[in-house]
Amino acid sequence: MSETASLTFSQFAKNRVIDPLGRSFRTRKSARPELQGHFVRLRAAGGRLLRQFDPRENQALAVTVVLGASISATSFLVTKHIYDGMASEEFRYQAALYTQVVQNSLQNYATIIHDAAEPFDGAPARMDRWDFFEYAESRLPRYPGLKSLLWVPRVPHNRVNVYELGASNDGLFGFGFTQPARDGSLVPVTDRPEYFPAYYVEPFEGNEKLAGLDLGVDKTLKAAMDKATATGQASVAAPGLWPEATDTERPFVIFEPVYLSKGVPQSAELRAELLAGFIVGVLDIPTIFRAAVTDYTTPAWIDLYLCEVGSGGRDKRVIALLPSQLRAQAGMGPPGKEPVSDRIERAVIELVGQPMSIVVAGVPGKFRSGNMVMPWSIALIGMLLTALLAQYLLSMRRHQRVIGQRMTERTAQLREARELNAALRKEVRRRMRVERQMRDAKTQAEVANRAKSDFLAMVSHELRTPLNAIIGFSEILTDEMFGPIGERRYQGYAGDIRSSAQHLLGLINNILDLTRVESNHYNLEEATVDLTQVINDSVHLLEAKAKAAGLVLEIDCDKRVPMVVGDELALRQILINLLQNAVKFTPAEGHIAVSLQRQQDGDIVVEVRDTGIGIEPEDINRVLEPFMQADTSLARRYEGAGLGLPLSKKLAEMHDGALELQSTPGAGTTVRLVLPASRAANVYRAAI
């Protein structure tokens, strides 16, 4: 350190010395020269330290705070805009999905009526009353919207007695052709060239008035029959007169024409001449609408409307409506007759040529445009980083002051200025090195955090959104919504695309669900759950796949088992995962049994038992780990990522239960979902 003698000689001439803290005191004239030089060096070192604290550093702190707040606000707005777009896209996708579900359900009902007409086509006597009864009995319970199924023959005037006599032989004593009078009673028919009586009626109980009723009397019904005869295709009517319906329950009636010839005659004249009668289906559209949507899933934040389409393509009246879960949980009641929302999607569907519109509306005040957690999280993280940086700058300044004070105190205690300066340089270099290491560590942490956020955003947006589009467009191609494709193989390829995309989407959803469970971000929505209904719904979902694989599915649910308290969606996912594994690993002509029982200690057990390929004892623990299967050969033979059992195990543990697995190679596997007695709700299915 250099000595500033020019600044201190005058002070020593006056017998005064100034230390680095600015304090002054007198010295004796007999003070040693080396002591005088020591104080001179201390003053020079302290002056350099004090000059390091520049007031202009406050400007850097202010700029840091303002810049950090601006970046945080910008990030919030950009992220919110992105999530708003994702929410709009999700709403449009949900609207298209529910539209397709309702359209498919209506098409299924039309197909049931069409299939009933095939045994009559070309040979009316092929199906008698009892065959017709068996056909209807096997389908009416599965299709609650099909209120009645009728065979309505075309009867010339000269064959009325023949049909009445034949009805008596079939057990319909007192059968006669009737028509409604003005007072609503039924009277014998008047003379007309031909009649269209309801000859076979199923179910007969509750529809006795329909037996023998001439449907050709009503103008609306007759117009629909004439249209079906002329076109050779089914037609639909919403009659103003129907014996079993009120003014507010106007059923839709489908007429499927049946001809004496095999197949539909080519010309309108031949069709009118060879008409044998009609298969008539009476449809309760509100029941069909509600069953189609609720069987798929109950919408959580949207209201659904089904409307008649009038002239000009405008909605004429509301046929059926379904409120959302949020509306029902809030006690708001059903939505109004007119949809009111800032988000509405409308699509036109058909029932055998009859146009109807389905309107999907977001619940007013309940719809949330996008996930606000991520934008606020980014904004809060940005503000937190800004605060940390400002705190770091303030702390660094305080540390510098502390260092200066300590250096001053130590220099006052040390006898030799050179040793003091060397120690100070060493301490400053060490602290600068530590500060550089801290800055490097902070930079690495920020890079890692951004990488994690980018990865999650890429998984949720870049994978799921395109997969949803692939599934939607493949369904359009498979169902030929805009016209026939031509080459049937292309339709099969589109179905393969849809199946593969759905499989990949399910895999991604399983991965994200497993991640949420492991990170304790999966929250159970607990309520009273009917396990019998959950089992029936899960088996019904996989029944077609099991039947296609040549498997037998059986259910054995003890009615004495009470309902449980848990998350219905989580329990349903466990059952579906177990059934999917059973169907996947069970060869043709195998057997799958699902049972529900309560043990003596009060635990509730759901057991899925199959006769599949089984698992080696040493592999049982391994298949319960994520992304693992029994061996590599099975991984190549059977598709899957090994997520079903691990996810089911963790969901069971979240319900305070367990997932137990027993297996014998070549003989089958038994998986038991055990829920503790504390989960029993003491409410039984029969009491609901």
Side-chain angles (χ1 to χ4, degrees):
M1 176 185 295
S2 62
E3 298 180 0
T4 56
S6 60
L7 297 177
T8 59
F9 284 164
S10 60
Q11 294 173 350
F12 273 98
K14 298 178 182 179
N15 298 325
R16 302 182 66 89
V17 176
I18 300 177
D19 71 355
L21 295 179
R23 296 173 296 186
S24 61
F25 52 89
R26 290 187 177 272
T27 61
R28 295 180 180 180
K29 294 182 179 179
S30 60
R32 292 181 299 177
E34 57 270 19
L35 184 60
Q36 297 176 4
H38 168 70
F39 283 113
V40 171
R41 290 190 292 271
L42 288 179
R43 182 182 184 280
R48 282 196 299 273
L49 287 174
L50 292 175
R51 286 194 297 271
Q52 292 178 359
F53 298 98
D54 190 351
R56 290 178 296 179
E57 291 180 353
N58 293 327
Q59 297 179 358
L61 180 62
V63 170
T64 301
V65 174
V66 172
L67 184 60
S70 301
I71 294 175
S72 300
T74 303
S75 302
F76 172 81
L77 295 176
V78 171
T79 308
K80 184 178 181 299
H81 177 72
I82 293 174
Y83 273 87
D84 285 343
M86 294 171 61
S88 299
E89 184 66 25
E90 177 66 17
F91 182 81
R92 287 192 291 269
Y93 168 74
Q94 291 290 338
L97 186 63
Y98 285 116
T99 300
Q100 187 62 43
V101 168
V102 175
Q103 176 68 79
N104 292 343
S105 181
L106 293 176
Q107 182 61 39
N108 290 338
Y109 278 86
T111 302
I112 291 297
I113 299 172
H114 176 77
D115 293 344
E118 291 185 357
F120 291 88
D121 194 10
R126 184 178 301 172
M127 178 180 284
D128 58 16
R129 177 189 172 196
W130 306 111
D131 294 335
F132 189 80
F133 167 77
E134 292 178 356
Y135 178 86
E137 187 181 35
S138 64
R139 287 160 176 80
L140 288 176
R142 292 185 295 164
Y143 295 88
L146 183 59
K147 297 302 181 183
S148 303
L149 192 64
L150 298 80
W151 161 238
V152 178
R154 177 189 185 186
V155 181
H157 179 74
N158 57 358
R159 292 185 58 83
V160 173
N161 294 332
V162 176
Y163 273 83
E164 291 180 346
L165 180 61
S168 299
N169 294 334
D170 283 340
L172 298 177
F173 300 104
F175 177 86
F177 287 21
T178 59
Q179 67 183 33
R182 292 186 176 180
D183 59 356
S185 62
L186 298 179
V187 298
V189 295
T190 58
D191 292 340
R192 287 190 296 276
E194 58 183 10
Y195 305 93
F196 294 91
Y199 196 64
Y200 297 158
V201 180
E202 293 298 337
F204 187 75
E205 292 76 10
N207 294 308
E208 294 85 353
K209 294 181 180 180
L210 294 178
L213 179 64
D214 185 10
L215 302 184
V217 176
D218 186 76
K219 294 181 180 181
T220 304
L221 299 180
K222 188 61 169 64
M225 288 189 284
D226 292 341
K227 180 180 177 181
T229 304
T231 60
Q233 299 178 353
S235 65
V236 64
L241 171 65
W242 191 254
E244 302 299 327
T246 63
D247 293 338
T248 59
E249 298 176 350
R250 298 175 60 194
F252 279 63
V253 183
I254 295 180
F255 292 88
E256 183 72 34
V258 177
Y259 299 95
L260 297 174
S261 62
K262 193 66 176 178
V264 180
Q266 296 296 324
S267 63
E269 292 79 7
L270 286 177
R271 288 193 288 270
E273 180 181 353
L274 298 178
L275 178 67
F278 300 92
I279 293 294
V280 180
V282 182
L283 303 183
D284 184 355
I285 296 299
T287 299
I288 297 174
F289 178 69
R290 288 190 294 270
V293 176
T294 55
D295 284 348
Y296 179 77
T297 180
T298 302
W301 42 268
I302 59 177
D303 295 329
L304 299 174
Y305 301 79
L306 189 65
C307 308
E308 280 190 61
V309 177
S311 59
R314 295 184 177 181
D315 295 339
K316 185 177 180 182
R317 70 180 180 92
V318 176
I319 304 173
L321 52 85
L322 184 67
S324 67
Q325 271 187 348
L326 289 178
R327 187 184 293 278
Q329 293 173 358
M332 299 170 62
K337 291 296 184 180
E338 296 297 332
V340 177
S341 176
D342 55 349
R343 291 183 181 272
I344 295 178
E345 291 289 333
R346 179 181 181 273
V348 177
I349 59 178
E350 288 188 355
L351 174 63
V352 292
Q354 175 71 24
M356 291 181 284
S357 68
I358 179 171
V359 180
V360 182
V363 177
K366 294 292 184 181
F367 177 76
R368 295 293 183 265
S369 58
N371 182 5
M372 297 299 295
V373 175
M374 183 61 71
W376 280 112
S377 298
I378 292 178
L380 292 176
I381 291 174
M383 295 301 297
L384 179 61
L385 292 177
T386 302
L388 290 176
L389 182 59
Q391 180 65 26
Y392 173 75
L393 293 176
L394 291 175
S395 177
M396 185 172 63
R397 293 178 61 185
R398 287 195 297 268
H399 288 169
Q400 290 176 346
R401 292 190 180 96
V402 171
I403 292 173
Q405 183 178 0
R406 289 179 179 177
M407 290 176 61
T408 303
E409 292 175 354
R410 290 176 182 177
T411 54
Q413 298 173 1
L414 296 176
R415 293 182 178 273
E416 296 295 331
R418 294 185 183 276
E419 296 179 0
L420 176 62
N421 289 334
L424 290 175
R425 292 194 194 96
K426 184 177 180 180
E427 181 69 14
V428 170
R429 285 195 297 270
R430 187 186 69 81
R431 291 184 177 271
M432 292 179 63
R433 182 169 59 254
V434 171
E435 290 174 0
R436 285 197 300 270
Q437 293 174 354
M438 292 175 62
R439 286 195 295 269
D440 293 340
K442 176 176 176 294
T443 302
Q444 293 176 2
E446 291 176 349
V447 171
N449 185 58
R450 287 197 299 269
K452 181 187 71 175
S453 301
D454 293 342
F455 174 75
L456 292 177
M458 178 183 67
V459 168
S460 61
H461 180 69
E462 298 297 331
L463 291 181
R464 296 177 70 178
T465 300
L467 281 177
N468 288 332
I470 291 173
I471 293 173
F473 286 120
S474 62
E475 287 180 349
I476 292 175
L477 293 175
T478 304
D479 297 335
E480 298 181 335
M481 294 180 61
F482 301 114
I485 295 178
E487 177 61 41
R488 305 309 301 175
R489 288 181 297 178
Y490 293 158
Q491 187 179 15
Y493 297 157
D496 294 340
I497 294 174
R498 179 179 61 183
S499 300
S500 300
Q502 289 175 340
H503 173 73
L504 184 55
L505 182 59
L507 176 61
I508 294 173
N509 289 335
N510 283 340
I511 293 174
L512 295 179
D513 287 343
L514 187 61
T515 303
R516 289 170 53 206
V517 171
E518 292 181 344
S519 61
N520 296 324
H521 289 164
Y522 193 103
N523 297 322
L524 295 179
E525 299 293 337
E526 295 190 349
T528 302
V529 180
D530 185 357
L531 281 179
T532 301
Q533 185 64 38
V534 172
I535 292 173
N536 290 333
D537 293 346
S538 302
V539 171
H540 179 70
L541 186 64
L542 295 173
E543 188 175 11
K545 186 175 181 181
K547 184 177 181 181
L551 305 178
V552 177
L553 262 174
E554 291 183 356
I555 302 177
D556 181 18
C557 295
D558 190 350
K559 296 182 179 179
R560 296 172 295 179
V561 177
M563 301 177 74
V564 300
V565 177
D567 190 326
E568 182 175 357
L569 292 179
L571 294 174
R572 190 185 302 272
Q573 187 170 6
I574 293 174
L575 263 296
I576 291 176
N577 288 342
L578 299 184
L579 287 172
Q580 284 178 340
N581 281 349
V583 172
K584 182 192 300 184
F585 296 104
T586 303
E589 299 181 0
H591 183 271
I592 300 174
V594 184
S595 64
L596 173 63
Q597 297 177 352
R598 189 172 190 180
Q599 296 179 342
Q600 294 181 353
D601 58 359
D603 291 349
I604 298 173
V605 178
V606 179
E607 185 177 274
V608 178
R609 185 174 63 256
D610 63 64
T611 59
I613 61 176
I615 305 173
E616 295 293 339
E618 60 270 20
D619 294 330
I620 289 180
N621 292 331
R622 198 155 62 93
V623 299
L624 293 175
E625 297 295 328
F627 305 103
M628 299 297 294
Q629 285 194 349
D631 57 40
T632 55
S633 62
L634 283 179
R636 290 192 296 269
R637 181 179 177 186
Y638 297 95
E639 62 178 5
L643 294 176
L645 286 177
L647 180 58
S648 301
K649 178 176 178 292
K650 292 186 179 295
L651 292 177
E653 292 172 351
M654 292 181 67
H655 284 82
D656 306 322
L659 196 72
E660 301 175 354
L661 193 150
Q662 298 176 353
S663 182
T664 302
T669 301
T670 299
V671 185
R672 303 171 76 244
L673 169 62
V674 181
L675 298 177
S678 59
R679 285 283 176 176
N682 294 325
V683 178
Y684 294 82
R685 180 178 176 86
I688 298 176

